[in-house]
Amino acid sequence: MAFQHVPLAARRPVRLGDLLVSAGRITQAQLDDALSLQKRTGERLGSALVRAGYLTEDDLVRALSGQLGVEAASVDDLDIDPELVKLLPDDFVKRFEVVPVRMDRGVLTVATATPNNLSLLDEVRFVTGVHKVRALVATEMAIRRVIEQHYSTHALLEEVINSGGLYDKALQQAAPRREDAESETDIYRLQAESEAQPIIALVNYLLIEAVRRRASDIHIEPYQEFLRVRMRIDGMLHAVLTPPQNLQRALVSRIKIMAGMDISKTRVPQDGHIALEYTGEVLHYRVNTLPTVYGEKCVVRLLKKEQQLADLGRLGIPPETLDRLREVIELPQGMVLVTGPTGSGKTTTVHAALNAINRIEKNVVTLEDPVEASIAGINHVQIHRRGGVTFMEGLRAILRQDPDVVFIGEIRDREVASTAMEAAMTGHLVFSTLHTNSAIESLTRLDDMAVEMFLVAGTLKAVLAQRLIRRVCPQCKQPHRPDTLALAEMGVAPERIAGGRYFRGAGCNHCMNSGFKGRIAAYEVLFVDDPIRRLIRARTPVETLGDAARENGMVTLLDSGLDLVMQGLTTLEEVHRCIGRS
């Protein structure tokens, strides 16, 4: 049932919840649940319905448009011109949650969740001096995203730049020093700069904004003429801020102080850790600094909280493959490898598998560098090379602790690989990761490490290769016909993807105009059964092994990615970017 626009003067007040129920968009039970949530949070009913998953934002804004008889703000409307930001003061926008979206022939168009609030429109006229103001309806979530993107950052940088005094002279970039350590005067000055309230506010903003934008990393990069701050979101870097270049030392020093690092050392790489409480939760960040010719580059990685650890059944592994994988991780001994490049989600997959077998009767120990997330009931060991805890020494110590299951963060050399496989042959289930491009290539990597193939054949139970592929944004997805040229570049016949449902994101405020929101994994799992084991023991070429594995039912990474394309979850171009040719 479509929502009909009703002229404002002829409209009778209809409650949003009743309208949605009568239109069949939600049930009465869902409405009651959202009303209970609304009472607890104090938010609008529409926001509570979206938060509970009963409506999308698109559904909500269409319903509001029909209820109020006001045109809805489009995706393009909310992608506002930075010049329009100056029309309304920051505090006014944040207080009334109204944003200017267009100025055309003397008419100012604004977006708000309360377009029928005539007194608000009068206030906009008074503040801007514009005679005619037109209102569009938008969800409060969309309005707040625009405010966060265009107003919060703008106001914060203005405060930092205009702080005066300390920032007039003290923050001028010093000439390069010959010695590694700063002088006592420089250290005192750096500490004073980093403890200035605007710098503290800017750093806190970046740390919290990374959470809000679901970023995995923050990059603070100094260059000769400017300073750049980028965030890695869904695997891609996006520019967030370009603060003045002379703020670099104070900004990085503040992060180093929070991470327990030495601000007097600017010529050597350092590592640190930040724990920050936000809305009742403790957020953890790993910090690394690297000296460059224009100052220290700082990368802050947001670590996963315990409650965000993935469930094995929700990783997107195909059901038949998942059933076989569950059987493997329940074995009393053997080795399971997870492979892929950096940032492909290997640790998340292993932690999900460990969580699935984490029971009171099992002693599970991990050896990681670093420990990115903790699981209750599992013993996590951090590599500490200066203290003598290397992968080799740590593994030897763990094997003296009567473990049932061991996770070695990464196999890097022959000694660790051989010891891990010997442990897998003597009553331990061993998990580890490798940096290889496919499951089959893991065998080549182990052979390059000079690991005996009889050990590999005797211990290996499964190898899982994976890639994280960006998902098409659900808010702006549009039907799309796949590009035959892209298929040709991937070495794929058009018949392979015939009959699918294809979508592409147009780009919107919800996805930062990228057309993608979130990521989904493509998997390739090699199960080492008796036929494959005999081929490994005979040192069969990887091409022959790959053919045998596919005949045995292994779905390649490329085929897994193409299946996601056919389901409308991603695009051919994205699969090509992440996986490449067949």
Side-chain angles (χ1 to χ4, degrees), residues 282-347:
V282 178
L283 308 176
H284 294 275
Y285 305 82
R286 188 178 79 221
V287 181
N288 176 267
T289 58
L290 180 71
T292 73
V293 292
Y294 298 116
E296 289 180 285
K297 174 180 177 178
C298 181
V299 175
V300 183
R301 166 156 287 193
L302 177 59
L303 304 179
K304 297 178 179 66
K305 300 188 288 292
E306 185 172 345
Q307 58 266 39
Q308 290 181 328
L309 290 172
D311 179 88
L312 191 61
R314 301 177 64 182
L315 293 181
I317 302 174
E320 292 183 4
T321 303
L322 179 61
D323 291 341
R324 292 186 67 182
L325 189 60
R326 288 189 186 278
E327 293 175 3
V328 167
I329 65 175
E330 291 290 348
L331 293 173
Q333 64 185 42
M335 173 170 278
V336 178
L337 292 176
V338 181
T339 78
T342 301
S344 59
K346 299 186 297 295
T347 302

Side-chain angles (χ1 to χ4, degrees), residues 257-400:
I257 289 173
M258 294 178 70
M261 299 158 70
D262 188 347
I263 64 171
S264 71
K265 302 293 184 182
T266 61
R267 295 285 183 244
V268 294
Q270 292 190 61
D271 293 288
H273 174 266
I274 295 174
L276 181 70
E277 186 173 345
Y278 175 65
T279 63
E281 297 178 323
V282 178
L283 308 176
H284 294 275
Y285 305 82
R286 188 178 79 221
V287 181
N288 176 267
T289 58
L290 180 71
T292 73
V293 292
Y294 298 116
E296 289 180 285
K297 174 180 177 178
C298 181
V299 175
V300 183
R301 166 156 287 193
L302 177 59
L303 304 179
K304 297 178 179 66
K305 300 188 288 292
E306 185 172 345
Q307 58 266 39
Q308 290 181 328
L309 290 172
D311 179 88
L312 191 61
R314 301 177 64 182
L315 293 181
I317 302 174
E320 292 183 4
T321 303
L322 179 61
D323 291 341
R324 292 186 67 182
L325 189 60
R326 288 189 186 278
E327 293 175 3
V328 167
I329 65 175
E330 291 290 348
L331 293 173
Q333 64 185 42
M335 173 170 278
V336 178
L337 292 176
V338 181
T339 78
T342 301
S344 59
K346 299 186 297 295
T347 302
T348 298
T349 299
V350 174
H351 279 187
L354 294 177
N355 208 29
I357 59 176
N358 180 24
R359 292 189 287 271
I360 191 67
E361 65 271 16
K362 289 190 176 184
N363 177 21
V364 184
V365 187
T366 76
L367 182 63
E368 303 171 73
D369 184 24
V371 176
E372 294 193 5
S374 61
I375 305 173
I378 290 180
N379 303 282
H380 297 273
V381 180
Q382 170 74 51
I383 292 294
H384 189 258
R385 290 177 177 82
R386 290 184 180 177
V389 184
T390 63
F391 274 108
M392 191 64 246
E393 293 303 320
L395 179 56
R396 286 172 179 162
I398 286 172
L399 293 177
R400 293 193 290 269

Side-chain angles (χ1 to χ4, degrees), residues 23 51 73 90 221 275 350 485:
R51 181 194 291 267
D90 296 352
E221 304 164 314
V350 174
L485 180 59

